[in-house]
Amino acid sequence: QVQLQESGPGLVKPSQTLSLTCTVSGGSITSGNYQWSWVRQPAGKALEWIGRIYTTGRTDSNPSLTSRLIISRDTSQNQFFLQLTSVTAADTAVYYCTRDAQRFDGTWDVFEQWGQGTLVTVSS
Amino acid sequence: DIVMTQSPLSLSVTPGQPASISCKSSQSLLHSNGRTFLYWVLQKPGQTPQLLISEVSKRFAGVPDRFSGSGSGTDFTLKISRVETEDVGIYYCMQSIQVPRTFGQGTKVEI
């Protein structure tokens, strides 16, 4: 059973860079019919998709964040990363890493696995 | 971006009774491959979100059969045939046909 675990600083100062790691166990981030995403949720608000990385290493991102966002990975550690630059209070949220998986019949189960989430607060 | 609009935003239900949530998308979610990329996610109080329904109507593993999804194009519905107390939480519809993936505002279901 795959498990995802987010880690990183819980407090980031305004204008600095938010950096998070998702460590994946029980499955490889480089093989299989999977995609790996970051999703965030400000307190009391709806979910927001940030971006994803494919098993090939290719990435997609939310255009609202693209200019500030880098999604990358370390295949040797089976980890993928989120870096968000020039943060403001609006970036305060619980950040989740997730996995999509494709069934044998071709159905995509989007966000079928979630990490427990990590709260990041942007404040001086 | 595709806008996902849910209704109602709040729903008070009685255990054992049915419940229904509507989701409308600003563009068709039907792909040229014939699949429709509409999903339902439930976030129970204090918990991580969990996938309920994939591609309009396909229950995810372990999801009780009292949950069903239907719809096509831009109009979708999640139905709970007989609500149980454990079904409380916020239900989100979500589309993945186009980047960025977008969620509805959420429907809060209370007993």
Side-chain angles (χ1 to χ4, degrees), chain A residues 46-47, chain B residues 4-6 23 91-95 102-107:
Chain A
L47 298 159
Chain B
M4 307 296 289
T5 304
Q6 293 181 229
C23 175
Y91 290 77
Y92 297 94
C93 60
M94 188 274 297
Q95 65 80 21
T102 48
F103 293 86
Q105 322 95 300
T107 295

Side-chain angles (χ1 to χ4, degrees), chain A residues 41 52 100 105 107-109, chain B residues 35 39 43 54-55 101:
Chain A
Q41 185 175 36
R52 68 182 158 191
D100 302 350
D105 67 358
T107 300
W108 273 100
D109 289 319
Chain B
R35 295 184 182 274
Y39 296 80
Q43 187 170 29
S54 296
E55 296 186 11
R101 293 173 172 178

Side-chain angles (χ1 to χ4, degrees), chain B residues 70-86:
Chain B
S70 62
S72 62
T74 61
D75 246 301
F76 305 94
T77 302
L78 175 70
K79 291 183 179 175
I80 310 173
S81 59
R82 292 174 304 279
V83 172
E84 298 192 3
T85 55
E86 65 186 32

Side-chain angles (χ1 to χ4, degrees), chain B residues 39-92:
Chain B
Y39 296 80
W40 291 97
V41 171
L42 165 61
Q43 187 170 29
K44 296 183 179 181
Q47 294 188 22
T48 296
Q50 59 189 88
L51 177 64
L52 288 179
I53 302 278
S54 296
E55 296 186 11
V56 180
S57 60
K58 300 170 185 177
R59 277 188 300 276
F60 183 57
V63 173
D65 61 8
R66 64 179 180 273
F67 291 94
S68 64
S70 62
S72 62
T74 61
D75 246 301
F76 305 94
T77 302
L78 175 70
K79 291 183 179 175
I80 310 173
S81 59
R82 292 174 304 279
V83 172
E84 298 192 3
T85 55
E86 65 186 32
D87 299 336
V88 298
I90 302 177
Y91 290 77
Y92 297 94

Side-chain angles (χ1 to χ4, degrees), chain A residues 97-112:
Chain A
C97 55
T98 71
R99 185 182 81 167
D100 302 350
Q102 190 174 31
R103 303 183 196 181
F104 288 121
D105 67 358
T107 300
W108 273 100
D109 289 319
V110 170
F111 304 146
E112 56 104 31

Side-chain angles (χ1 to χ4, degrees), chain A residues 19-62:
Chain A
S19 296
L20 295 175
T21 299
C22 181
T23 300
V24 178
S25 58
S28 171
I29 64 171
T30 62
S31 62
N33 294 326
Y34 304 112
Q35 298 174 13
W36 307 88
S37 283
W38 290 98
V39 175
R40 69 180 181 180
Q41 185 175 36
K45 295 190 177 180
L47 298 159
E48 179 184 28
W49 180 75
I50 298 171
R52 68 182 158 191
I53 188 163
Y54 295 78
T55 54
T56 59
R58 177 191 148 207
T59 60
D60 281 331
S61 59
N62 191 320

